[in-house]
């Protein structure tokens, strides 16, 4: 019986029935009995009316007790279960809870129209049928997978009067560009279905039965798996229906990713890598793909063949021009000066598809992918020459300076140790210390902080280096500290054969370093043929063996297998130490064909460690760092339709109130395209950051649940899988009828009767 109440604990309010009785008893104690001879005549007359008065008082007392009982019952909200409702031939109250998949895959053509239109037509037919029936009293709730906690229609009556309004709401629904999160959506559905027992609730789930929605690998048979959530929802509902709105295995071609192979730098060949996927069941041949930068002429490449469920990579080479004086530049990207934003677009050329091939790409929206490219005007490199010479060829930095040519993207500055002491370190991405063994303590500390903040330091010791001085300045027993500890290795002494009668060669680590990858792939034996006649012997602390921040990409094949190159990460930056100098006195490497590509790739690798990814999934959040020492805290965002949004930057870490680095956040970027973030300097000038939003690549997989999976009781015995055509034939049993309205009417009637009788009988007395 307690299950017939929404709030059974409110039945404790029935104890209030005792209150009229207590009031009656307390009122009796208020009178003091006084013996008075003249009252005997009155008592004799009163005995004739006492029975009538007692009966009247009892009736009033019972009415008051009944009023308290009805009040408690009304708060407990009783209802008639469906079996009693049916016996009484009373209309059942049923709430129809509809969950609609409005994700990107609903844009697939289902016959001649998108699946979302099929969903809308089916839902409108269902509502029209329900509004015209007298067998049930229907209510309506509509939930979308794109925003399950914000109901499109929230528990509203479904009648002939409200039908048109509900149909207009459904008709105005458009599919989003986001991925359907069935775990979250079905969790919300289950919570709602089981939350209120006054209504019998029937669940309707419109879905295209995509495997990526229903089969989640890391959940499998867990209770949080979508099909398990649906089964437990069906236990709480009076009817659960899965409506299949797609009638075939859809095919799709998609651009799943676009990226650069390193830091985006002007005056250098940049390789854009485009991933093209075939999610169909037939091989696609001669598929054209284009890449366009801003309004430049598009570049085309052809994929000769893509097998089903395979991905092919295309590489587009592009050179960004150096920035001119007239170019609008920004200086807020990763502390990189002089950068310009470009809009990069990769797209499948649908004109290259015809006939049957055109049917292999049923979802055209994901055939395009965008990239917001922030291109810096060259990598700023400082070369510190510890052994300068009037003859360029004898300089420590001669071979490194020769890299500053068209096509490398490098912007080099050469200086001495004195120049290092006064240089603004923040102006450089990479600094080379060539044959340098000392620096002031303050400058060494500044170098350490610069590296931890994202800078990259390359040390190439030569014959002018004194081991004791170098170790005291840079090594500090391999420990990182404020002033020392930049070098992960300790220099010992110079080894090898200065007469060049004997030599050693490089030996590459099997786990190839990014700076060596290109040269090894092009000529695997090239580095191994470089002759090294002299080198610094060195040692690292024992703790380095277990230090994941230290890597040794190159060694020598001498008897001691000496270290030739070591790479150490420090904070956000890196330190590279070679045990040979950058000139040609100790080895044949600087004059070798391998030196230039390795050094260019090394610099790109070091500078590229700060490259930012500014691509955001549709519906995601953009977080923009704002330096309040340079910019105002008000940040403006313009979306692809040029609509304006504003926000106020807030602290990154509330526990660090003194920090000037704040963050501006923009939620739910739901429009696909390029977003322009505008920051205002304290001087009044504005600067921009370009962002790009893209579809989640997972939504491009259109593979449906197999019939074998569905036949294996995937949804459970209490869930009915129906087509849109078969939905109208489905009925539900189990609607409940709540009684609180009738109880309220009875309560008001009893209170009126009690007041009237009390007034009438009191008047007679």
């Amino acid at each position: 019986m307690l299950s017939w109440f929404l709030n059974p604990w409110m039945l404790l309010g029935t104890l209030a029935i005792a209150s009229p009785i207590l009031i009656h008893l307390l009122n009796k104690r208020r009178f003091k009995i006084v013996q008075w001879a003249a009252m005997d005549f009155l008592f004799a007359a009163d005995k004739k009316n006492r029975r009538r008065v007692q009966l009247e008082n009892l009736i009033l007392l019972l009415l008051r007790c009944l009023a308290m009982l009805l009040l408690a019952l009304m708060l407990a909200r009783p209802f008639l279960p469906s079996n009693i409702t049916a016996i009484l031939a009373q209309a059942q109250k049923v709430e129809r809870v509809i969950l609609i998949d409005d994700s990107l895959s609903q844009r697939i053509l289902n016959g001649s129209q998108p699946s979302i239109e099929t969903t809308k037509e089916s839902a409108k037919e269902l509502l029209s049928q329900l509004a015209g029936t007298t067998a049930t009293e229907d209510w309506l709730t509509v939930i979308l997978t794109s925003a399950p906690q914000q109901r499109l229609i929230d528990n509203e009556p479904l009648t002939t009067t409200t039908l048109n309004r509900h149909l207009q709401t459904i008709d105005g629904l458009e599919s989003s560009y986001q991925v359907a999160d069935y775990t979250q959506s079905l969790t919300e559905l289950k919570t709602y279905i089981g939350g209120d027992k006054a209504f019998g609730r029937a669940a309707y789930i419109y879905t295209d039965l995509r495997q990526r929605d229903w089969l989640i690998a890391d959940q499998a048979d867990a209770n949080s798996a979508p099909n398990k959530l649906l089964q437990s929802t069906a236990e709480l509902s009076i009817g659960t229906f899965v409506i299949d709105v797609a009638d075939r295995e859809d095919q799709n071609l998609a651009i799943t990713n676009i990226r650069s192979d390193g830091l985006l730098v002007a005056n250098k060949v940049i390789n854009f890598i485009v991933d093209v996927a075939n999610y169909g069941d037939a091989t696609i041949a001669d598929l054209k793909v284009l890449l366009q930068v801003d309004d430049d002429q598009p570049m085309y490449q052809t994929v000769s063949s893509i097998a089903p469920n395979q991905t092919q990579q295309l590489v587009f080479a592009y050179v960004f021009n150096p920035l001119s004086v007239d170019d609008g530049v920004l200086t807020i990207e990763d502390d990189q000066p002089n950068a310009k934003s470009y809009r990069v677009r990769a797209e499948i050329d649908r004109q290259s598809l015809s006939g049957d091939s055109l049917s292999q790409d049923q979802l055209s929206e994901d055939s395009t992918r965008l990239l917001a490219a922030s291109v810096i005007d060259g990598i700023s490199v400082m070369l510190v020459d510890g052994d300068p010479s009037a003859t360029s060829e004898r300089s420590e930095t001669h071979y490194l300076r020769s890299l500053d040519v068209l096509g490398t993207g490098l912007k080099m500055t050469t200086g001495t140790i004195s120049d290092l002491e006064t240089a603004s370190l923040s102006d450089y991405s990479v600094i080379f210390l060539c044959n340098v063994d000392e620096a002031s303590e303050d400058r060494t500390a500044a170098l350490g902080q610069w590296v931890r903040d994202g800078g990259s330091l390359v040390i190439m010791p030569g014959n002018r280096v004194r081991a004791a001085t170098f170790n005291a300045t840079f090594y500090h027993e391999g420990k990182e500290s404020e002033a020392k500890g930049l070098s992960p290795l300790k220099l010992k002494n110079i080894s090898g054969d200065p007469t060049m009668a004997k030599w050693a060669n490089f030996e590459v680590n099997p786990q190839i370093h990014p700076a060596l990858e290109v040269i090894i792939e092009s000529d695997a034996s090239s580095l191994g043929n470089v002759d090294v006649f002299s080198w610094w012997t060195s040692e690292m602390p024992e703790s380095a063996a277990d230090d994941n921040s230290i890597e040794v990409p190159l060694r020598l094949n001498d008897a001691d297998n000496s270290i030739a190159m070591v790479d150490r990460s420090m904070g956000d930056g890196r330190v590279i130490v070679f045990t040979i100098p950058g000139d040609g006195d100790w080895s044949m490497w600087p004059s070798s064909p391998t030196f230039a590509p390795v050094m260019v790739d090394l610099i790109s690798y070091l500078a590229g460690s700060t490259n930012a990814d500014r691509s955001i999934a549709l519906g995601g959040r953009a977080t923009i760092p704002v330096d309040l020492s340079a910019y105002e805290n008000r940040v403006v965002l313009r979306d692809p339709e040029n609509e304006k949004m504003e926000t106020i930057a807030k602290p990154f870490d509330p526990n660090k109130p003194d920090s000037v680095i704040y963050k501006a956040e923009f939620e739910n970027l739901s429009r696909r395209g390029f977003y322009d973030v505008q920051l205002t300097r304290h001087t009044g000038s504005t600067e921009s950051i370009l962002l790009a939003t893209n579809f989640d690549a997972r939504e491009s997989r259109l593979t449906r649940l197999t019939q074998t999976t569905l036949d294996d009781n995937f949804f459970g015995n209490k869930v009915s899988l129906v087509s849109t055509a078969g939905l109208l034939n489905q009925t539900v049993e189990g609607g409940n009828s709540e009684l609180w309205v009738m109880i309220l009417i009875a309560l008001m009637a009893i209170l009126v009767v009690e007041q009237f009788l009390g007034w009438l009988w009191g008047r007679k007395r």
Side-chain angles (χ1 to χ4, degrees):
M1 290 294 292
L2 290 179
S3 64
W4 293 8
F5 296 88
L6 281 181
N7 304 316
W9 56 273
M10 292 300 294
L11 290 174
L12 293 174
T14 55
L15 298 177
I17 294 174
S19 58
I21 301 174
L22 292 175
I23 293 173
H24 173 71
L25 295 176
L26 290 174
N27 282 337
K28 289 186 65 176
R29 297 181 58 188
R30 289 167 54 191
F31 303 102
K32 182 178 181 181
I33 298 175
V34 178
Q35 297 294 331
W36 183 28
M39 292 297 295
D40 291 340
F41 300 102
L42 294 176
F43 285 148
D46 183 56
K47 287 181 181 180
K48 297 180 181 180
N49 297 324
R50 184 174 299 173
R51 290 184 179 275
R52 177 178 59 80
V53 172
Q54 288 178 341
L55 180 60
E56 290 173 354
N57 288 341
L58 180 60
I59 292 174
L60 291 175
L61 181 62
L62 290 176
L63 288 174
R64 291 165 183 164
C65 291
L66 181 58
M68 301 305 296
L69 175 62
L70 291 177
L71 180 61
L73 287 175
M74 185 179 68
L75 294 177
R77 295 181 64 182
F79 58 87
L80 291 177
S82 58
N83 53 352
I84 298 179
T85 300
I87 294 173
L88 298 177
Q90 185 177 357
Q92 302 179 46
K93 284 190 176 182
V94 178
E95 184 174 0
R96 315 287 175 161
V97 186
I98 301 177
L99 174 64
I100 296 178
D101 181 351
D102 64 336
S103 61
L104 175 65
S105 63
Q106 289 290 302
R107 294 175 179 262
I108 287 286
L109 291 180
N110 188 6
S112 60
Q113 64 181 8
S115 293
I116 189 66
E117 295 299 326
T118 303
T119 296
K120 289 157 60 174
E121 288 183 3
S122 174
K124 289 191 294 184
E125 289 178 0
L126 174 65
L127 299 186
S128 298
Q129 182 188 69
L130 294 173
T133 183
T134 57
T136 56
E137 180 184 335
D138 293 295
W139 294 67
L140 178 64
T141 294
V142 178
I143 302 173
L144 304 179
T145 58
S146 61
Q149 295 179 343
Q150 299 175 0
R151 299 175 191 127
L152 186 66
I153 300 175
D154 190 3
N155 191 25
E156 296 186 16
L158 178 58
T159 65
T160 54
T161 303
T162 62
L163 177 61
N164 286 335
R165 176 162 52 87
H166 295 327
L167 294 182
Q168 290 176 4
T169 301
I170 297 296
D171 207 39
L173 177 64
E174 294 183 0
S175 61
S176 68
Y177 290 107
Q178 301 177 26
V179 173
D181 188 341
Y182 272 60
T183 299
Q184 181 182 7
S185 300
L186 291 171
T187 298
E188 182 69 20
L189 178 66
K190 176 183 175 181
T191 302
Y192 187 76
I193 291 288
D196 187 346
K197 295 177 289 187
F199 284 30
R201 285 191 166 124
Y204 301 82
I205 297 91
Y206 283 92
T207 175
D208 47 17
L209 296 178
R210 306 295 174 192
Q211 285 189 14
R212 66 150 307 277
D213 295 329
W214 291 97
L215 297 178
I216 302 177
D218 59 355
Q219 292 179 336
D221 293 330
N223 291 332
S224 59
N227 63 317
K228 299 297 183 182
L229 284 170
L230 187 56
Q231 291 174 20
S232 57
T233 300
E235 297 290 338
L236 303 171
S237 69
I238 61 174
T240 301
F241 306 96
V242 172
I243 304 100
D244 184 5
V245 297
D247 58 0
R248 68 179 188 281
E249 189 70 37
D250 296 307
Q251 314 295 307
N252 190 33
L253 298 171
I255 303 290
T256 58
N257 196 12
I258 175 175
R259 62 196 182 279
S260 65
D261 62 352
L263 186 67
L264 296 172
V265 184
N267 190 28
K268 180 184 178 183
V269 176
I270 303 297
N271 289 326
F272 287 105
I273 303 168
V274 177
D275 294 339
V276 186
N278 177 11
Y279 294 123
D281 55 10
T283 299
I284 302 296
D286 299 327
L287 178 66
K288 285 187 178 180
V289 177
L290 67 87
L291 183 130
Q292 186 177 29
V293 178
D294 282 350
D295 296 325
D296 288 358
Q297 190 70 20
M299 298 179 290
Y300 289 86
Q301 288 201 39
T302 301
V303 183
S304 59
S305 177
I306 309 181
N309 294 314
Q310 296 296 316
T311 299
Q312 294 280 6
Q313 288 186 349
L314 296 176
V315 179
F316 293 83
Y318 189 86
V319 178
F320 292 95
N321 294 324
L323 298 181
S324 65
V325 176
D326 296 332
D327 282 326
V329 299
L330 55 89
T331 58
I332 54 182
E333 294 290 333
D334 308 312
D335 297 327
Q336 297 282 5
N338 299 329
K340 182 181 178 181
S341 293
Y342 294 83
R343 291 168 167 82
V344 182
R345 175 175 61 94
E347 182 177 345
I348 293 174
D349 182 12
R350 292 180 62 83
Q351 293 182 356
S352 66
L353 299 171
S354 60
D356 294 338
S357 296
L358 191 60
S359 65
Q360 297 296 313
D361 189 16
Q362 294 295 311
L363 185 61
S364 60
E365 283 81 1
D366 63 356
S367 297
T368 302
R369 203 158 187 88
L370 308 175
L371 174 68
S374 177
V375 181
I376 63 173
D377 191 27
I379 303 175
S380 299
V381 180
M382 183 179 188
L383 306 177
V384 181
D385 194 333
D387 187 16
S389 173
T391 304
S392 176
E393 290 77 5
R394 299 301 304 166
S395 168
E396 290 289 330
T397 59
H398 170 72
Y399 291 98
L400 291 171
R401 280 188 281 113
S402 67
L403 304 178
D404 190 358
V405 295
L406 183 66
T408 62
L410 302 180
K411 298 179 69 174
M412 290 186 166
T413 301
T414 304
T416 63
I417 297 176
S418 298
D419 295 325
L420 175 65
E421 293 291 332
T422 58
S424 174
L425 301 181
S426 61
D427 291 342
Y428 302 98
S429 298
V430 182
I431 295 177
F432 279 77
L433 299 183
C434 301
N435 217 351
V436 174
D437 62 1
E438 63 179 341
S440 68
E441 187 170 334
D442 289 344
R443 181 75 337 183
T444 306
L447 277 171
Q449 188 59 52
W450 172 77
V451 170
R452 285 186 285 271
D453 289 341
S456 295
L457 182 67
V458 181
I459 301 176
M460 305 185 79
N463 59 346
R464 294 291 299 271
V465 168
R466 298 156 294 179
T469 304
F470 177 92
N471 295 333
T473 304
F474 298 114
Y475 176 62
H476 195 61
E477 298 181 358
K479 298 178 181 178
E480 181 183 340
S481 68
E482 285 295 324
K484 302 178 182 179
L486 281 167
S487 174
L489 53 77
K490 176 182 180 181
L491 298 185
K492 297 175 65 178
N493 50 63
I494 298 175
S495 183
D497 184 3
T499 66
M500 301 185 182
K502 299 179 181 178
W503 60 85
N505 301 107
F506 288 133
E507 188 177 277
V508 181
N509 189 322
Q511 295 182 344
I512 301 175
H513 191 272
L516 309 177
E517 186 174 358
V518 173
I519 196 68
I520 295 298
E521 289 179 353
S522 61
D523 186 356
S525 61
S526 57
L527 279 176
N529 294 328
V530 173
D531 296 334
V532 180
F533 303 102
S534 298
W535 59 89
W536 278 99
T537 59
S538 60
E539 66 178 26
M540 291 193 296
E542 295 181 359
S543 60
D546 299 322
D547 191 344
N548 294 328
S549 67
I550 297 177
E551 178 185 359
V552 182
L554 274 180
R555 290 183 178 271
L556 297 175
N557 62 357
D558 64 318
D560 298 325
N561 202 208
S562 300
I563 294 174
M565 171 186 174
V566 62
D567 182 352
R568 178 188 187 184
S569 64
M570 285 181 58
D572 293 329
R574 311 193 79 85
V575 177
I576 304 288
V577 181
F578 289 91
T579 57
I580 59 174
D583 62 13
D585 292 342
W586 287 17
S587 73
M588 301 299 294
W589 193 28
S591 59
S592 164
T594 64
F595 183 79
V598 168
M599 286 299 159
V600 170
D601 288 345
L602 175 64
I603 294 172
S604 296
Y605 158 71
L606 294 175
S609 62
T610 60
N611 198 17
D613 182 6
R614 294 182 294 135
S615 178
I616 300 172
L618 271 167
R621 171 197 302 170
T623 301
I624 312 298
V626 181
D627 185 350
L628 294 189
S629 65
Y631 301 95
E632 303 290 343
N633 64 351
R634 183 178 297 277
V635 181
V636 176
L637 176 73
R638 292 194 177 273
D639 69 9
E641 301 297 329
N642 203 33
E643 290 189 8
K644 181 179 177 181
M645 294 178 280
E646 292 187 4
T647 190
I648 301 297
K650 299 178 180 179
F652 259 110
D653 187 352
N655 296 323
K656 296 180 179 179
D658 297 333
S659 175
V660 296
I661 305 300
Y662 277 41
K663 62 178 178 180
E665 292 186 322
F666 295 92
E667 303 281 351
N668 192 25
L669 303 186
S670 57
R671 285 181 173 168
R672 187 206 186 186
F674 292 101
Y675 288 75
D676 186 21
V677 181
Q678 299 175 348
L679 300 183
T680 303
R681 284 188 173 272
H682 296 313
T683 58
S685 62
T686 59
E687 295 173 356
S688 298
I689 299 175
L690 195 65
L691 306 176
T693 54
N694 283 297
F695 304 122
D696 191 316
R698 295 173 298 171
E699 194 69 0
S700 297
R701 295 181 178 272
L702 303 179
T703 307
R704 284 162 52 85
L705 293 173
T706 63
Q707 191 60 48
T708 302
T709 301
L710 294 174
D711 291 340
D712 194 24
N713 201 27
F714 183 73
F715 291 121
N717 296 325
K718 294 190 175 182
V719 178
S720 300
L721 176 61
V722 298
S723 64
T724 53
L727 176 61
L728 298 181
N729 298 324
Q730 305 298 318
T731 58
V732 296
E733 295 289 341
N736 302 323
S737 295
E738 197 169 355
L739 303 177
W740 70 269
V741 175
M742 290 180 285
I743 295 175
L744 177 60
I745 294 173
L747 175 61
M748 297 303 295
I750 288 174
L751 290 177
V752 170
V753 170
E754 187 273 339
Q755 288 294 313
F756 174 75
L757 292 179
W759 169 80
L760 179 62
W761 291 338
R763 182 181 178 185
K764 290 181 179 179
R765 298 176 190 173

